[in-house]
Structures are given as C-alpha cells and as structure tokens.
Amino acid sequence: MSDPINAQFRPRIFSGIQPSGGLTLGNYLGALKRFAALQGGEAETIYCIVDLHAITVWQEPEQLRARIREAAAAFMAAGVDPAQSILFNQSQVSAHAEMAWLFNTVARVGWMYRMTQFKDKAGKNSENASLGLLAYPALMAADILTYQATAVPVGEDQKQHLELTRDIAAKFNHDYGVTHFPITEPLIEGVATRVMSLRDGSRKMSKSDPSDASRINLTDDADTIATKIRKARTDADPLPGSMEGLKDRPEAKNLVNIYAALADETPDEVLARFEGQGFGAFKPALAEVAVSALSPITARMSDYMADPAQIDRTLADGADRAAAIALPILERTKEIMGLLRTRN
Ligand code: AQP
C-alpha cells in the first residue's frame, strides 16, 4: 500500500535506463514495455537515459554518445511517445547532479556499502572503484525525487536502490521537519521482473555481460535471436504442466517466463500447451514468439537511428520540459536546507 504522505503529491512516474551497452530483452520486458504501457494514465510519465550513471564505470566517449542515441531510439521504438511522456538524457538537466550532491549529505556511507549492486560491480578490488559507483544510489534518488515522483517502474534488481531512495526521502523529511519528498513506490510487476541470462539461470540478463550469447539485444536480427535461443542452456527433462514443477529448473523457468511475457500470457497458460514436450519443441516456438515481438521494434529503432539530429532535438526538447519541473523542486530543497536560492 502506498505511503499516506504520497496523497499530497501529484501522481508522477519516473524511470531510467543506463546507456552502458545496447539494450536487452531484460531491459525491454522489465522496463521499456511497461514504460510504454503506463503512458496516458492519471500519472505524468518522465523517462530518462541515465548517462551520468553509465559513466560510474568506464565508457569510451564516442561509443557512449552513440549508445545514448541508440537508447533514445529503443525507448521510442518500444512505444515511449515523446509527445505523451517526457523523454530526455540525464546529463542535460543539471538539477540531477545538484540534487545528488545535496543527497550525498543526507545519505550515510554505511547505506552505500550495503548495496549489492556496488559489491557486484566493484568486485574484489572495491578500493579502486569510482567514487561515483559507490554514490550511484544517491544520484538515483536525486533522479526520482527531483520530480517528486510517486512511483517508479523497475525490474527486481533495482528494488534495493528504491528502498534507499525511500530512506533518503524519509530522512530528509524528518531531519528538516517537512513533507517535501514522497515515499516513492516501486512498481515491480509481471512475470519478467528478472529476466535471467541465457547461459546461466542464476545470473540476470545484463547489457554489460561479457558474453553476447547470454542476452538478446534489441538490435539482434531474427537469425541471431533464433540461434541464441537454440543455444540457450536448458536441461533434458520435458516441461511440466505448471510452474510449480519448474521450482528447481532456473533455466527452463526463465525461458517459460520470457515466452509468457512476450506473448502476454501467464506462465501456466504456456505450460498447459507445452506439457510433456522437450526443449526441441519449445525453443523454436519461443524463437518465433521472440522474433515476432522484437522484429518490429528493431526495425523502428533503425528508422529512428537513421536520423540522429532528430533524436538530439527530441532529447533537447525533453530536457527543457524536465528542467521546468525539476528546477523549482531543487530550489525549494536548497531553501529548506538553509542555502540561498539561485533562481526565483
Ligand atoms: N534482466 C532484467 N530483467 C528485468 N529487468 C531488467 N532490467 C535490467 N535488466 C533486467 C531493468 O531495466 C531497467 C534499466 O536498468 P539499468 O540500465 O539502469 O541498469 P541495470 O539494472 O544494471 O541493467 P543492466 O542491463 O544489467 O545494465 P548494466 O549491465 O550496465 O549493469 C531497470 O528498471 C532494471 O531493473
């Protein structure tokens, strides 16, 4: 249930994706598809390509620029309409970085060290990780709270960061005796909140996984998609009649969940049709569903990417609209903290 404090805020949805690689089927099912579906409801929708997050690990500058545009193309190809939503890249709205600094003074160092994503990404040599990678969740809180967003659609992997955003909002409101930030709700819904690697059912499908075979990229053509699915790791057993029977078969469960999410069915509906059949029958059927869902998106992406100047104009327009919401909230935050206003 939503925190009662949120009733005092205008319903607003915010979410973002890092341009840290080409976007994957995981990003599509866990994020983009839902971003598009949430448009046109009672809440305003604001979607962001979080490039300042991407540079917390090394990015080749030219490649990053290309990936920001490619991500924008993927958002639009997946149905995010810049006329219905605000679509922009984070670094064009300086309020995100400014608010992140303010939140660096609210968040505690211990909160950051507890983040599993920091531990995973920093690896054994965490002393050598960028300071930005450690402070990443404070920037994410800034992304969300600079718009006083009441809800954030995310995949399961971002749940811990969302909890930290809520902690920062609650501590700020408590320390300064105000109701300035909502306690943002995570929207983690559907069967594809955690799409797993095609090579290892215990790891999340990720755009920065060194193995390209572990993921389906939104730019993969039909043959590549079919090959990756054919080679996906599975077991030799036939499929059971319901998900209960897949409890200890993570790779099989993952493929059934992907099928269900792409076909807009429940996993049990999918299994009811494939009960008793092996992966020799299931994988080609999954490849067909995946190709028919993803090919139109890939085609639209390449149309958008053929006109990078238009993508840049769309992002600049989105940044202006985002800044118009963010700046007054940033200024009020500074005022609450005892800083002098820089704009009226
Ligand atoms: N495998 C996934 N299943 C479901 N949802 C996913 N998301 C990412 N991977 C999956 C969701 O996509 C949104 C954007 O994620 P992000 O780009 O900010 O970073 P991430 O979660 O760290 O995604 P990646 O692909 O794993 O990026 P890298 O490799 O750069 O770290 C989020 O809502 C996320 O939950």
Side-chain angles (χ1 to χ4, degrees), residues 102-103 105-106 168-181 332-339:
L102 303 182
F103 286 170
T105 71
V106 176
I168 289 176
K171 180 162 163 54
F172 184 98
N173 287 347
H174 175 266
D175 288 355
Y176 292 100
V178 290
T179 309
H180 181 52
F181 291 121
R332 177 71 191 127
T333 310
K334 288 184 184 172
E335 193 175 38
I336 291 168
M337 295 178 87
L339 302 166

Side-chain angles (χ1 to χ4, degrees), residues 5-16:
I5 197 183
N6 292 343
Q8 298 180 43
F9 294 86
R10 170 185 178 157
R12 194 175 274 150
I13 286 168
F14 177 95
S15 199

Side-chain angles (χ1 to χ4, degrees), residues 28-70:
Y28 173 64
L29 293 175
L32 289 175
K33 189 175 181 206
R34 297 171 57 231
F35 294 176
L38 287 161
Q39 296 177 122
E42 82 165 323
E44 184 176 15
T45 43
I46 305 178
Y47 298 127
C48 186
I49 296 154
V50 288
D51 45 14
L52 296 177
H53 282 280
I55 57 171
T56 57
V57 297
W58 172 251
Q59 305 290 336
E60 288 296 338
E62 274 317 310
Q63 192 175 51
L64 177 61
R65 232 184 307 281
R67 282 176 173 166
I68 293 167
R69 294 190 178 113
E70 189 182 300

Side-chain angles (χ1 to χ4, degrees), residues 187-200:
L187 300 178
I188 302 175
E189 293 156 350
V191 289
T193 56
R194 192 168 171 81
V195 177
M196 307 309 282
S197 157
L198 299 179
R199 306 300 308 158
D200 177 353

